[in-house]
Each structure stands twice: as structure tokens, then as C-alpha cells.
Amino acid sequence: MNRFANRSESRIARVPASLISLAVLGVLWIAGTAASASDPNILFILADDLGYGDLGCYNPSSKIPTPNLDRLAKQGMRFTDAHSPCTVCTPTRFSLMTGQMAFRVPNGGRVFSGAGGPSLIAPGRSTLPSMLRDQGYTTACFGKWHIGLTFLDSDGDPIHDGSPKGVTQIDYSRDIIGGPLDCGFDQFFGTACCPTTDWLYAFIDGKRIPVPPVAKLNKSKLPKHPYANDNRGGVVAPDFDLEEVDIKFLQKSQQFLKNHVQQATGKPFFLLHSTQAVHLPSFPGNAFKGKTQSGPHGDFIFELDYVVGELLKSLDELGIADNTIVMFSSDNGPEVPTVYHMRHDHDHDGARPWRGVKRDNWEGGHRVPFIVRWPGKVPGNSTTGQITSLTDVMATLADVVDADVPDDAGQDSFSMLPVMLGSDDGKPIRPYVLMQGFYGGRKLAIRQGNWKYLHHQGSGGNNYASHAMLKEYALPELAPEAPGQLYDLESDPGETTNLVLKHPEVARELRALLDASMQAGRSIP
């Protein structure tokens, strides 16, 4: 029995075994799976550094057209109180794949670069893709990985060096360890870290880089604008076009979908499409330059929307849209230069209506878009205010496929299936939700109901007093001697007034709840 079942009264209708053809049973037996003929396909699209206010369906004042994502929201359910587990990418991606907050594991606050590693996912750990693969799913990931992996040098020794020097030591004839194929995915094509920001500009195909880098990146040939200053001077492979990375990933995902349907194995699929967009540098492809009135970053968001539209189009053309769950979200809030320049140059606010940006534990750093479409199951044009985290994806999909998840997995994952099916009766699914700032376990926050407690001073990430682009957004601290911050998000969604001294009993209760969760090593009972 699925251990998340007690949080999901509604079950997905199952096709009785007596009605499943012997041929299908034979295929499943050979594959060693227990997939049900009613199990849906799953497509999860994870954007990078996309803010809550970057989409029209979340921000009526957005200056960027996002017709495909707006349409996806109308066809499904839009969560208005969804959160990334962390305010930066590596820990969030770990938490999405494991259902566990990253601060609970060694180096859980790390953001990898170059040949850095090892993977945050321990060998043998149950993950979202491995759970689904055990249920008979074909699993694939295309795009940015960034959870850590291990490159080997010519002696076969692990490198684990995120500096430029580490990249020079890679032996490209050796398999990569701890990457997506070792964490539950059957197929992978993408990059180790941030595709266009790293010391290593090269594509991984499976466990190897088939076309290694041969020269240092020539930045003089790249676009120059306020959103183009975030890529390192690393080494680049001949087939790596920094301005067309997302189209490359799109083509790989589309080919996977086509091949999967043509092979007609009877198996459902789980596809994680992990974009470069809209992480800086904002390098929209040639087909998208100048397509909006909001500069290069606006064009980049428009390209992201196009990618989503093309994936949805592929589902339609292949005749599998009605039996595919589509989930869309972002790994954290928008980046500092993005917010600053988009506000000043284009009157667009990717963090609207929240305080804070990427790295901050204020809402703008972790309140993210989250959209779910499941035709015939999830009501269209619906919204929910249920508090959720991307850690919840694992429990939710376990509930969908009735997976048996071990007790040492999904420690911070709650099933949102009742919410998706409209059977939650408005009752809170989560007793609380945790957020992790830029510095791992040293910067944590907890939310329960309308109350949010930050167990630290300041943003938990960016230094507003010294950052040239953030100084103008600094607010006076009304309780500078207090050990933490307490906000009532119902009356003060902008987190402007620290109530920690006015309501010390609430702060103590939330602090105790946070301590108990840390000591227990889990959020779920």
C-alpha cells in the first residue's frame, strides 16, 4: 500500500487485470514492472530562474506575452501558493528528485559548477524517476541536471573540483558517475550544470561527453546587453551553441516523445524537460530576438513559452495529450540583474507582487509558478491556494501511480493529488512548509498558515546594503536586534513589518516546530 494514501482519499480508477490483454501483461512481465494500463504519462517542465510575476496568468501587469503557459493554466490548475524548496537551483533540483529538503544531506547548500560533485543524491537512494521506473515507466531527462555528478581523470580518480582547473582534468573517455542514469533515468541528454554559465560548455549524452570542449569560449562573438554578463570564460565544445541550447533540448524531448509512441511498448513515460531559460545570460535563439517589446530577457521568456507550446503540441500530434499529466514550475525566483533591469527598462517585475529575488528567503525568492494539467481529472481554469512545495511532486505522483515508497524517501513530501482532483474540501494538506535560503541549513524559514518565520536576520541570501542593484529595494529593519523575522502574509504579503517582538509566542511556536522537523529529519509523520 502507498504510504501516502492516508493523505489522498480519492484514488485513480484502475483497469481490472482481467480486462488487460495477455499481450500487454506479457510485455510488462518481461520488463519486470507493475505498470497499470491506466497510469498516465507524465511531463514535468522545469524552468530556471523564472519568477512568479513573469507569466501573464500570474501577473496581469506582465509586459511579456506567454500565450502557451497562459493557455496551459486555463486548461488545468494554477497553484498560487507554491514554493521552490530552496532559493537557488542545485538544492531545489535535489529536493524535486527526492522529496527531501536538501539541507538534510551533506553539502545540501551547494551550487555546483564545472567538474564539481559528487551528486547530492546518494547511491541507491529512491528518487522520483526510479520510483516511476519501478512502476513500469520509461524515464528520460533532457536539459540541465545540476545536482552534482562525478567526472574522472586519466587515472580513474574522481575530480570534484568546481574550478576551471577541474575541467582540464576530465578524461572524456570515461563514464560519468552519479548522473541522471545513476539516479533513475533511462535516458539523458543535457549539461552537468548551468548550460550557458559554466566552466564546461558541452553536452552529456548518457554517461559521456561525446564532443569534448576544444577551446576557450570566445565571448566577443556573444550578444552584449545588461542580461549577458553571467557566463564564465570556460571551455566550449564545437557543437555547443550558447544561443540555441533550449532549442536543442526541445528537439531531444520531442524526438523522445515520437520514439516512445512509435515503439508502442505499452509503457507510460516520465519526461523531465529542464530548460536553460530563463537563467542568465539571456541569450534567446535567433528566431526569438526582438519578438517582444521587453528586450533580450523578455525575448528569452517568450522563447521559454514557445518551448512549452511545442511540447504541448507534440503531445497533441502524437495523440497522447489526454493521458498525460503536465506539470510546470521554476526552481526559484528571478535573478538580481534580471529584476533590476526589467523593472527599470521595461516596467516589468518578475518578482511581483512579492519582496525578494533569487537567493532570498522572502517570498520573491521561492514563491514560484506551478501549473498542473490532467485532462478529465484536474478541473480546467481552476486555482488553488493550497500551500505546496516542489518536494511534494514525489508523493503526489506516488499517489497517482499507487507506488510503494520506502520510509527513508520523500521525507518532506505530501501528496497534492486530493487538491488536483478537487477532493481536499479546502482543508490544508500540509501542516507547514520549509524554505531553504542560499546558505543551506544556516538560513531556514518555516510557514504555517498565514504565519512565516525566518530563523535569521536579513534576506537569507543577497546583501541589500552593499549590492548596487538592491540598495534601492532595502527596507528599514524594525526589529534589528531580533534573532529572526515573523510576518503575517495575509495582512502583510510584502513582508514589510517584522512582528517577531509583537508576537513572540508565535515566533517561539514556529521556531520549535522548525527545530522538531530538523531533529526528526522529516516533515511527514
Side-chain angles (χ1 to χ4, degrees), residues 141-142 149 175-177 179-182 185-190 203-210:
C141 174
F142 300 109
L149 38 72
D175 281 356
I176 299 165
I177 300 171
L181 298 193
D182 291 328
F185 286 106
D186 298 314
Q187 300 179 40
F188 173 69
F189 181 93
F203 293 118
I204 300 172
D205 191 349
K207 290 193 171 189
R208 297 279 182 92
I209 293 180

mmCIF file with all atom_site columns, all heavy atoms in Angstrom, residues 141-142 149 175-177 179-182 185-190 203-210:
data_model
loop_
_atom_site.group_PDB
_atom_site.id
_atom_site.type_symbol
_atom_site.label_atom_id
_atom_site.label_alt_id
_atom_site.label_comp_id
_atom_site.label_asym_id
_atom_site.label_entity_id
_atom_site.label_seq_id
_atom_site.pdbx_PDB_ins_code
_atom_site.Cartn_x
_atom_site.Cartn_y
_atom_site.Cartn_z
_atom_site.occupancy
_atom_site.B_iso_or_equiv
_atom_site.pdbx_formal_charge
_atom_site.auth_seq_id
_atom_site.auth_comp_id
_atom_site.auth_asym_id
_atom_site.auth_atom_id
_atom_site.pdbx_PDB_model_num
ATOM 1   N N   . CYS A 1 141 ? 15.378 12.422 -19.108 1.00 0.00 ? 141 CYS A N   1
ATOM 2   C CA  . CYS A 1 141 ? 15.651 13.799 -18.702 1.00 0.00 ? 141 CYS A CA  1
ATOM 3   C C   . CYS A 1 141 ? 16.453 14.477 -19.798 1.00 0.00 ? 141 CYS A C   1
ATOM 4   O O   . CYS A 1 141 ? 17.483 13.958 -20.240 1.00 0.00 ? 141 CYS A O   1
ATOM 5   C CB  . CYS A 1 141 ? 16.434 13.814 -17.385 1.00 0.00 ? 141 CYS A CB  1
ATOM 6   S SG  . CYS A 1 141 ? 16.981 15.458 -16.852 1.00 0.00 ? 141 CYS A SG  1
ATOM 7   N N   . PHE A 1 142 ? 15.982 15.642 -20.222 1.00 0.00 ? 142 PHE A N   1
ATOM 8   C CA  . PHE A 1 142 ? 16.704 16.417 -21.223 1.00 0.00 ? 142 PHE A CA  1
ATOM 9   C C   . PHE A 1 142 ? 16.841 17.852 -20.727 1.00 0.00 ? 142 PHE A C   1
ATOM 10  O O   . PHE A 1 142 ? 15.858 18.493 -20.359 1.00 0.00 ? 142 PHE A O   1
ATOM 11  C CB  . PHE A 1 142 ? 15.965 16.385 -22.569 1.00 0.00 ? 142 PHE A CB  1
ATOM 12  C CG  . PHE A 1 142 ? 15.816 14.993 -23.120 1.00 0.00 ? 142 PHE A CG  1
ATOM 13  C CD1 . PHE A 1 142 ? 14.587 14.371 -23.145 1.00 0.00 ? 142 PHE A CD1 1
ATOM 14  C CD2 . PHE A 1 142 ? 16.925 14.295 -23.571 1.00 0.00 ? 142 PHE A CD2 1
ATOM 15  C CE1 . PHE A 1 142 ? 14.448 13.078 -23.620 1.00 0.00 ? 142 PHE A CE1 1
ATOM 16  C CE2 . PHE A 1 142 ? 16.800 12.996 -24.061 1.00 0.00 ? 142 PHE A CE2 1
ATOM 17  C CZ  . PHE A 1 142 ? 15.557 12.390 -24.084 1.00 0.00 ? 142 PHE A CZ  1
ATOM 18  N N   . LEU A 1 149 ? 27.573 15.435 -10.041 1.00 0.00 ? 149 LEU A N   1
ATOM 19  C CA  . LEU A 1 149 ? 27.981 14.146 -10.610 1.00 0.00 ? 149 LEU A CA  1
ATOM 20  C C   . LEU A 1 149 ? 29.490 14.056 -10.483 1.00 0.00 ? 149 LEU A C   1
ATOM 21  O O   . LEU A 1 149 ? 30.138 14.962 -9.961  1.00 0.00 ? 149 LEU A O   1
ATOM 22  C CB  . LEU A 1 149 ? 27.505 14.005 -12.062 1.00 0.00 ? 149 LEU A CB  1
ATOM 23  C CG  . LEU A 1 149 ? 27.520 15.234 -12.991 1.00 0.00 ? 149 LEU A CG  1
ATOM 24  C CD1 . LEU A 1 149 ? 28.926 15.623 -13.374 1.00 0.00 ? 149 LEU A CD1 1
ATOM 25  C CD2 . LEU A 1 149 ? 26.681 14.967 -14.228 1.00 0.00 ? 149 LEU A CD2 1
ATOM 26  N N   . ASP A 1 175 ? 33.291 6.946  -18.199 1.00 0.00 ? 175 ASP A N   1
ATOM 27  C CA  . ASP A 1 175 ? 31.901 7.195  -17.832 1.00 0.00 ? 175 ASP A CA  1
ATOM 28  C C   . ASP A 1 175 ? 31.804 8.201  -16.692 1.00 0.00 ? 175 ASP A C   1
ATOM 29  O O   . ASP A 1 175 ? 32.657 8.245  -15.796 1.00 0.00 ? 175 ASP A O   1
ATOM 30  C CB  . ASP A 1 175 ? 31.214 5.900  -17.405 1.00 0.00 ? 175 ASP A CB  1
ATOM 31  C CG  . ASP A 1 175 ? 30.788 5.037  -18.571 1.00 0.00 ? 175 ASP A CG  1
ATOM 32  O OD1 . ASP A 1 175 ? 30.964 5.477  -19.734 1.00 0.00 ? 175 ASP A OD1 1
ATOM 33  O OD2 . ASP A 1 175 ? 30.279 3.927  -18.332 1.00 0.00 ? 175 ASP A OD2 1
ATOM 34  N N   . ILE A 1 176 ? 30.734 8.984  -16.734 1.00 0.00 ? 176 ILE A N   1
ATOM 35  C CA  . ILE A 1 176 ? 30.398 9.905  -15.657 1.00 0.00 ? 176 ILE A CA  1
ATOM 36  C C   . ILE A 1 176 ? 29.600 9.129  -14.611 1.00 0.00 ? 176 ILE A C   1
ATOM 37  O O   . ILE A 1 176 ? 28.720 8.334  -14.938 1.00 0.00 ? 176 ILE A O   1
ATOM 38  C CB  . ILE A 1 176 ? 29.573 11.082 -16.199 1.00 0.00 ? 176 ILE A CB  1
ATOM 39  C CG1 . ILE A 1 176 ? 30.397 11.850 -17.252 1.00 0.00 ? 176 ILE A CG1 1
ATOM 40  C CG2 . ILE A 1 176 ? 29.136 11.999 -15.081 1.00 0.00 ? 176 ILE A CG2 1
ATOM 41  C CD1 . ILE A 1 176 ? 29.571 12.793 -18.100 1.00 0.00 ? 176 ILE A CD1 1
ATOM 42  N N   . ILE A 1 177 ? 29.898 9.360  -13.343 1.00 0.00 ? 177 ILE A N   1
ATOM 43  C CA  . ILE A 1 177 ? 29.276 8.627  -12.241 1.00 0.00 ? 177 ILE A CA  1
ATOM 44  C C   . ILE A 1 177 ? 28.312 9.542  -11.488 1.00 0.00 ? 177 ILE A C   1
ATOM 45  O O   . ILE A 1 177 ? 28.601 10.718 -11.259 1.00 0.00 ? 177 ILE A O   1
ATOM 46  C CB  . ILE A 1 177 ? 30.345 8.090  -11.278 1.00 0.00 ? 177 ILE A CB  1
ATOM 47  C CG1 . ILE A 1 177 ? 31.303 7.150  -12.013 1.00 0.00 ? 177 ILE A CG1 1
ATOM 48  C CG2 . ILE A 1 177 ? 29.712 7.384  -10.079 1.00 0.00 ? 177 ILE A CG2 1
ATOM 49  C CD1 . ILE A 1 177 ? 32.510 6.752  -11.180 1.00 0.00 ? 177 ILE A CD1 1
ATOM 50  N N   . GLY A 1 179 ? 25.337 10.628 -12.287 1.00 0.00 ? 179 GLY A N   1
ATOM 51  C CA  . GLY A 1 179 ? 24.478 11.498 -13.069 1.00 0.00 ? 179 GLY A CA  1
ATOM 52  C C   . GLY A 1 179 ? 23.070 10.944 -13.185 1.00 0.00 ? 179 GLY A C   1
ATOM 53  O O   . GLY A 1 179 ? 22.675 10.014 -12.467 1.00 0.00 ? 179 GLY A O   1
ATOM 54  N N   . PRO A 1 180 ? 22.287 11.486 -14.098 1.00 0.00 ? 180 PRO A N   1
ATOM 55  C CA  . PRO A 1 180 ? 20.882 11.082 -14.230 1.00 0.00 ? 180 PRO A CA  1
ATOM 56  C C   . PRO A 1 180 ? 20.668 9.587  -14.433 1.00 0.00 ? 180 PRO A C   1
ATOM 57  O O   . PRO A 1 180 ? 19.721 9.021  -13.879 1.00 0.00 ? 180 PRO A O   1
ATOM 58  C CB  . PRO A 1 180 ? 20.405 11.885 -15.446 1.00 0.00 ? 180 PRO A CB  1
ATOM 59  C CG  . PRO A 1 180 ? 21.283 13.099 -15.453 1.00 0.00 ? 180 PRO A CG  1
ATOM 60  C CD  . PRO A 1 180 ? 22.619 12.632 -14.977 1.00 0.00 ? 180 PRO A CD  1
ATOM 61  N N   . LEU A 1 181 ? 21.553 8.926  -15.198 1.00 0.00 ? 181 LEU A N   1
ATOM 62  C CA  . LEU A 1 181 ? 21.358 7.495  -15.451 1.00 0.00 ? 181 LEU A CA  1
ATOM 63  C C   . LEU A 1 181 ? 21.605 6.647  -14.212 1.00 0.00 ? 181 LEU A C   1
ATOM 64  O O   . LEU A 1 181 ? 21.159 5.501  -14.141 1.00 0.00 ? 181 LEU A O   1
ATOM 65  C CB  . LEU A 1 181 ? 22.259 7.020  -16.596 1.00 0.00 ? 181 LEU A CB  1
ATOM 66  C CG  . LEU A 1 181 ? 22.028 7.653  -17.969 1.00 0.00 ? 181 LEU A CG  1
ATOM 67  C CD1 . LEU A 1 181 ? 22.760 6.864  -19.050 1.00 0.00 ? 181 LEU A CD1 1
ATOM 68  C CD2 . LEU A 1 181 ? 20.548 7.771  -18.314 1.00 0.00 ? 181 LEU A CD2 1
ATOM 69  N N   . ASP A 1 182 ? 22.297 7.198  -13.239 1.00 0.00 ? 182 ASP A N   1
ATOM 70  C CA  . ASP A 1 182 ? 22.512 6.503  -11.976 1.00 0.00 ? 182 ASP A CA  1
ATOM 71  C C   . ASP A 1 182 ? 21.470 6.890  -10.929 1.00 0.00 ? 182 ASP A C   1
ATOM 72  O O   . ASP A 1 182 ? 21.535 6.427  -9.790  1.00 0.00 ? 182 ASP A O   1
ATOM 73  C CB  . ASP A 1 182 ? 23.908 6.801  -11.429 1.00 0.00 ? 182 ASP A CB  1
ATOM 74  C CG  . ASP A 1 182 ? 25.008 6.167  -12.273 1.00 0.00 ? 182 ASP A CG  1
ATOM 75  O OD1 . ASP A 1 182 ? 24.764 5.089  -12.839 1.00 0.00 ? 182 ASP A OD1 1
ATOM 76  O OD2 . ASP A 1 182 ? 26.106 6.760  -12.363 1.00 0.00 ? 182 ASP A OD2 1
ATOM 77  N N   . PHE A 1 185 ? 16.967 7.608  -14.286 1.00 0.00 ? 185 PHE A N   1
ATOM 78  C CA  . PHE A 1 185 ? 16.584 7.927  -15.666 1.00 0.00 ? 185 PHE A CA  1
ATOM 79  C C   . PHE A 1 185 ? 17.158 6.901  -16.637 1.00 0.00 ? 185 PHE A C   1
ATOM 80  O O   . PHE A 1 185 ? 18.312 6.490  -16.511 1.00 0.00 ? 185 PHE A O   1
ATOM 81  C CB  . PHE A 1 185 ? 17.051 9.330  -16.049 1.00 0.00 ? 185 PHE A CB  1
ATOM 82  C CG  . PHE A 1 185 ? 16.238 10.433 -15.431 1.00 0.00 ? 185 PHE A CG  1
ATOM 83  C CD1 . PHE A 1 185 ? 16.757 11.188 -14.391 1.00 0.00 ? 185 PHE A CD1 1
ATOM 84  C CD2 . PHE A 1 185 ? 14.956 10.706 -15.887 1.00 0.00 ? 185 PHE A CD2 1
ATOM 85  C CE1 . PHE A 1 185 ? 16.008 12.210 -13.814 1.00 0.00 ? 185 PHE A CE1 1
ATOM 86  C CE2 . PHE A 1 185 ? 14.198 11.721 -15.311 1.00 0.00 ? 185 PHE A CE2 1
ATOM 87  C CZ  . PHE A 1 185 ? 14.724 12.475 -14.268 1.00 0.00 ? 185 PHE A CZ  1
ATOM 88  N N   . ASP A 1 186 ? 16.343 6.513  -17.617 1.00 0.00 ? 186 ASP A N   1
ATOM 89  C CA  . ASP A 1 186 ? 16.803 5.614  -18.669 1.00 0.00 ? 186 ASP A CA  1
ATOM 90  C C   . ASP A 1 186 ? 17.597 6.354  -19.734 1.00 0.00 ? 186 ASP A C   1
ATOM 91  O O   . ASP A 1 186 ? 18.505 5.781  -20.347 1.00 0.00 ? 186 ASP A O   1
ATOM 92  C CB  . ASP A 1 186 ? 15.606 4.932  -19.349 1.00 0.00 ? 186 ASP A CB  1
ATOM 93  C CG  . ASP A 1 186 ? 14.810 4.076  -18.384 1.00 0.00 ? 186 ASP A CG  1
ATOM 94  O OD1 . ASP A 1 186 ? 15.447 3.318  -17.632 1.00 0.00 ? 186 ASP A OD1 1
ATOM 95  O OD2 . ASP A 1 186 ? 13.569 4.163  -18.382 1.00 0.00 ? 186 ASP A OD2 1
ATOM 96  N N   . GLN A 1 187 ? 17.240 7.614  -19.966 1.00 0.00 ? 187 GLN A N   1
ATOM 97  C CA  . GLN A 1 187 ? 17.902 8.419  -20.993 1.00 0.00 ? 187 GLN A CA  1
ATOM 98  C C   . GLN A 1 187 ? 18.216 9.800  -20.443 1.00 0.00 ? 187 GLN A C   1
ATOM 99  O O   . GLN A 1 187 ? 17.472 10.340 -19.617 1.00 0.00 ? 187 GLN A O   1
ATOM 100 C CB  . GLN A 1 187 ? 17.010 8.570  -22.230 1.00 0.00 ? 187 GLN A CB  1
ATOM 101 C CG  . GLN A 1 187 ? 16.628 7.272  -22.912 1.00 0.00 ? 187 GLN A CG  1
ATOM 102 C CD  . GLN A 1 187 ? 15.730 7.508  -24.111 1.00 0.00 ? 187 GLN A CD  1
ATOM 103 O OE1 . GLN A 1 187 ? 15.925 8.455  -24.893 1.00 0.00 ? 187 GLN A OE1 1
ATOM 104 N NE2 . GLN A 1 187 ? 14.724 6.667  -24.285 1.00 0.00 ? 187 GLN A NE2 1
ATOM 105 N N   . PHE A 1 188 ? 19.329 10.360 -20.922 1.00 0.00 ? 188 PHE A N   1
ATOM 106 C CA  . PHE A 1 188 ? 19.685 11.731 -20.550 1.00 0.00 ? 188 PHE A CA  1
ATOM 107 C C   . PHE A 1 188 ? 20.485 12.372 -21.666 1.00 0.00 ? 188 PHE A C   1
ATOM 108 O O   . PHE A 1 188 ? 21.385 11.765 -22.234 1.00 0.00 ? 188 PHE A O   1
ATOM 109 C CB  . PHE A 1 188 ? 20.505 11.772 -19.256 1.00 0.00 ? 188 PHE A CB  1
ATOM 110 C CG  . PHE A 1 188 ? 21.037 13.154 -18.940 1.00 0.00 ? 188 PHE A CG  1
ATOM 111 C CD1 . PHE A 1 188 ? 20.178 14.174 -18.575 1.00 0.00 ? 188 PHE A CD1 1
ATOM 112 C CD2 . PHE A 1 188 ? 22.396 13.445 -19.027 1.00 0.00 ? 188 PHE A CD2 1
ATOM 113 C CE1 . PHE A 1 188 ? 20.656 15.456 -18.290 1.00 0.00 ? 188 PHE A CE1 1
ATOM 114 C CE2 . PHE A 1 188 ? 22.888 14.718 -18.746 1.00 0.00 ? 188 PHE A CE2 1
ATOM 115 C CZ  . PHE A 1 188 ? 22.012 15.725 -18.371 1.00 0.00 ? 188 PHE A CZ  1
ATOM 116 N N   . PHE A 1 189 ? 20.139 13.617 -21.955 1.00 0.00 ? 189 PHE A N   1
ATOM 117 C CA  . PHE A 1 189 ? 20.963 14.473 -22.810 1.00 0.00 ? 189 PHE A CA  1
ATOM 118 C C   . PHE A 1 189 ? 20.855 15.873 -22.228 1.00 0.00 ? 189 PHE A C   1
ATOM 119 O O   . PHE A 1 189 ? 19.757 16.416 -22.061 1.00 0.00 ? 189 PHE A O   1
ATOM 120 C CB  . PHE A 1 189 ? 20.470 14.477 -24.261 1.00 0.00 ? 189 PHE A CB  1
ATOM 121 C CG  . PHE A 1 189 ? 21.312 15.335 -25.169 1.00 0.00 ? 189 PHE A CG  1
ATOM 122 C CD1 . PHE A 1 189 ? 22.367 14.775 -25.882 1.00 0.00 ? 189 PHE A CD1 1
ATOM 123 C CD2 . PHE A 1 189 ? 21.064 16.696 -25.298 1.00 0.00 ? 189 PHE A CD2 1
ATOM 124 C CE1 . PHE A 1 189 ? 23.155 15.562 -26.709 1.00 0.00 ? 189 PHE A CE1 1
ATOM 125 C CE2 . PHE A 1 189 ? 21.850 17.495 -26.119 1.00 0.00 ? 189 PHE A CE2 1
ATOM 126 C CZ  . PHE A 1 189 ? 22.893 16.926 -26.824 1.00 0.00 ? 189 PHE A CZ  1
ATOM 127 N N   . GLY A 1 190 ? 22.023 16.455 -21.892 1.00 0.00 ? 190 GLY A N   1
ATOM 128 C CA  . GLY A 1 190 ? 21.973 17.774 -21.304 1.00 0.00 ? 190 GLY A CA  1
ATOM 129 C C   . GLY A 1 190 ? 23.330 18.209 -20.809 1.00 0.00 ? 190 GLY A C   1
ATOM 130 O O   . GLY A 1 190 ? 24.364 17.810 -21.348 1.00 0.00 ? 190 GLY A O   1
ATOM 131 N N   . PHE A 1 203 ? 27.783 19.049 -24.101 1.00 0.00 ? 203 PHE A N   1
ATOM 132 C CA  . PHE A 1 203 ? 26.605 18.217 -23.876 1.00 0.00 ? 203 PHE A CA  1
ATOM 133 C C   . PHE A 1 203 ? 27.000 16.824 -23.392 1.00 0.00 ? 203 PHE A C   1
ATOM 134 O O   . PHE A 1 203 ? 27.908 16.196 -23.952 1.00 0.00 ? 203 PHE A O   1
ATOM 135 C CB  . PHE A 1 203 ? 25.786 18.072 -25.155 1.00 0.00 ? 203 PHE A CB  1
ATOM 136 C CG  . PHE A 1 203 ? 25.149 19.348 -25.617 1.00 0.00 ? 203 PHE A CG  1
ATOM 137 C CD1 . PHE A 1 203 ? 25.490 19.903 -26.851 1.00 0.00 ? 203 PHE A CD1 1
ATOM 138 C CD2 . PHE A 1 203 ? 24.205 20.003 -24.839 1.00 0.00 ? 203 PHE A CD2 1
ATOM 139 C CE1 . PHE A 1 203 ? 24.907 21.074 -27.290 1.00 0.00 ? 203 PHE A CE1 1
ATOM 140 C CE2 . PHE A 1 203 ? 23.606 21.191 -25.267 1.00 0.00 ? 203 PHE A CE2 1
ATOM 141 C CZ  . PHE A 1 203 ? 23.960 21.723 -26.497 1.00 0.00 ? 203 PHE A CZ  1
ATOM 142 N N   . ILE A 1 204 ? 26.294 16.361 -22.381 1.00 0.00 ? 204 ILE A N   1
ATOM 143 C CA  . ILE A 1 204 ? 26.426 14.978 -21.938 1.00 0.00 ? 204 ILE A CA  1
ATOM 144 C C   . ILE A 1 204 ? 25.336 14.158 -22.619 1.00 0.00 ? 204 ILE A C   1
ATOM 145 O O   . ILE A 1 204 ? 24.167 14.551 -22.636 1.00 0.00 ? 204 ILE A O   1
ATOM 146 C CB  . ILE A 1 204 ? 26.253 14.859 -20.409 1.00 0.00 ? 204 ILE A CB  1
ATOM 147 C CG1 . ILE A 1 204 ? 27.320 15.689 -19.680 1.00 0.00 ? 204 ILE A CG1 1
ATOM 148 C CG2 . ILE A 1 204 ? 26.321 13.401 -19.963 1.00 0.00 ? 204 ILE A CG2 1
ATOM 149 C CD1 . ILE A 1 204 ? 27.100 15.774 -18.181 1.00 0.00 ? 204 ILE A CD1 1
ATOM 150 N N   . ASP A 1 205 ? 25.720 13.037 -23.198 1.00 0.00 ? 205 ASP A N   1
ATOM 151 C CA  . ASP A 1 205 ? 24.762 12.104 -23.799 1.00 0.00 ? 205 ASP A CA  1
ATOM 152 C C   . ASP A 1 205 ? 24.894 10.783 -23.050 1.00 0.00 ? 205 ASP A C   1
ATOM 153 O O   . ASP A 1 205 ? 25.882 10.065 -23.216 1.00 0.00 ? 205 ASP A O   1
ATOM 154 C CB  . ASP A 1 205 ? 25.046 11.911 -25.282 1.00 0.00 ? 205 ASP A CB  1
ATOM 155 C CG  . ASP A 1 205 ? 23.930 11.168 -26.001 1.00 0.00 ? 205 ASP A CG  1
ATOM 156 O OD1 . ASP A 1 205 ? 23.046 10.619 -25.315 1.00 0.00 ? 205 ASP A OD1 1
ATOM 157 O OD2 . ASP A 1 205 ? 23.923 11.147 -27.247 1.00 0.00 ? 205 ASP A OD2 1
ATOM 158 N N   . GLY A 1 206 ? 23.927 10.493 -22.196 1.00 0.00 ? 206 GLY A N   1
ATOM 159 C CA  . GLY A 1 206 ? 24.032 9.303  -21.351 1.00 0.00 ? 206 GLY A CA  1
ATOM 160 C C   . GLY A 1 206 ? 25.032 9.504  -20.240 1.00 0.00 ? 206 GLY A C   1
ATOM 161 O O   . GLY A 1 206 ? 24.828 10.296 -19.328 1.00 0.00 ? 206 GLY A O   1
ATOM 162 N N   . LYS A 1 207 ? 26.183 8.814  -20.353 1.00 0.00 ? 207 LYS A N   1
ATOM 163 C CA  . LYS A 1 207 ? 27.236 8.916  -19.336 1.00 0.00 ? 207 LYS A CA  1
ATOM 164 C C   . LYS A 1 207 ? 28.543 9.473  -19.891 1.00 0.00 ? 207 LYS A C   1
ATOM 165 O O   . LYS A 1 207 ? 29.567 9.407  -19.218 1.00 0.00 ? 207 LYS A O   1
ATOM 166 C CB  . LYS A 1 207 ? 27.510 7.543  -18.713 1.00 0.00 ? 207 LYS A CB  1
ATOM 167 C CG  . LYS A 1 207 ? 26.402 7.019  -17.822 1.00 0.00 ? 207 LYS A CG  1
ATOM 168 C CD  . LYS A 1 207 ? 26.879 5.820  -17.013 1.00 0.00 ? 207 LYS A CD  1
ATOM 169 C CE  . LYS A 1 207 ? 25.867 5.422  -15.955 1.00 0.00 ? 207 LYS A CE  1
ATOM 170 N NZ  . LYS A 1 207 ? 26.391 4.399  -15.030 1.00 0.00 ? 207 LYS A NZ  1
ATOM 171 N N   . ARG A 1 208 ? 28.490 10.003 -21.094 1.00 0.00 ? 208 ARG A N   1
ATOM 172 C CA  . ARG A 1 208 ? 29.718 10.524 -21.710 1.00 0.00 ? 208 ARG A CA  1
ATOM 173 C C   . ARG A 1 208 ? 29.458 11.893 -22.342 1.00 0.00 ? 208 ARG A C   1
ATOM 174 O O   . ARG A 1 208 ? 28.318 12.241 -22.653 1.00 0.00 ? 208 ARG A O   1
ATOM 175 C CB  . ARG A 1 208 ? 30.216 9.581  -22.811 1.00 0.00 ? 208 ARG A CB  1
ATOM 176 C CG  . ARG A 1 208 ? 30.621 8.182  -22.339 1.00 0.00 ? 208 ARG A CG  1
ATOM 177 C CD  . ARG A 1 208 ? 32.019 8.146  -21.752 1.00 0.00 ? 208 ARG A CD  1
ATOM 178 N NE  . ARG A 1 208 ? 32.423 6.808  -21.357 1.00 0.00 ? 208 ARG A NE  1
ATOM 179 C CZ  . ARG A 1 208 ? 33.079 5.958  -22.147 1.00 0.00 ? 208 ARG A CZ  1
ATOM 180 N NH1 . ARG A 1 208 ? 33.389 6.304  -23.385 1.00 0.00 ? 208 ARG A NH1 1
ATOM 181 N NH2 . ARG A 1 208 ? 33.421 4.760  -21.691 1.00 0.00 ? 208 ARG A NH2 1
ATOM 182 N N   . ILE A 1 209 ? 30.533 12.632 -22.545 1.00 0.00 ? 209 ILE A N   1
ATOM 183 C CA  . ILE A 1 209 ? 30.500 13.833 -23.381 1.00 0.00 ? 209 ILE A CA  1
ATOM 184 C C   . ILE A 1 209 ? 31.110 13.436 -24.722 1.00 0.00 ? 209 ILE A C   1
ATOM 185 O O   . ILE A 1 209 ? 32.332 13.332 -24.847 1.00 0.00 ? 209 ILE A O   1
ATOM 186 C CB  . ILE A 1 209 ? 31.286 14.990 -22.736 1.00 0.00 ? 209 ILE A CB  1
ATOM 187 C CG1 . ILE A 1 209 ? 30.574 15.453 -21.458 1.00 0.00 ? 209 ILE A CG1 1
ATOM 188 C CG2 . ILE A 1 209 ? 31.443 16.153 -23.703 1.00 0.00 ? 209 ILE A CG2 1
ATOM 189 C CD1 . ILE A 1 209 ? 31.270 16.588 -20.729 1.00 0.00 ? 209 ILE A CD1 1
ATOM 190 N N   . PRO A 1 210 ? 30.267 13.168 -25.731 1.00 0.00 ? 210 PRO A N   1
ATOM 191 C CA  . PRO A 1 210 ? 30.792 12.646 -26.999 1.00 0.00 ? 210 PRO A CA  1
ATOM 192 C C   . PRO A 1 210 ? 31.605 13.665 -27.788 1.00 0.00 ? 210 PRO A C   1
ATOM 193 O O   . PRO A 1 210 ? 32.486 13.294 -28.558 1.00 0.00 ? 210 PRO A O   1
ATOM 194 C CB  . PRO A 1 210 ? 29.527 12.237 -27.763 1.00 0.00 ? 210 PRO A CB  1
ATOM 195 C CG  . PRO A 1 210 ? 28.440 13.057 -27.159 1.00 0.00 ? 210 PRO A CG  1
ATOM 196 C CD  . PRO A 1 210 ? 28.798 13.245 -25.728 1.00 0.00 ? 210 PRO A CD  1
#
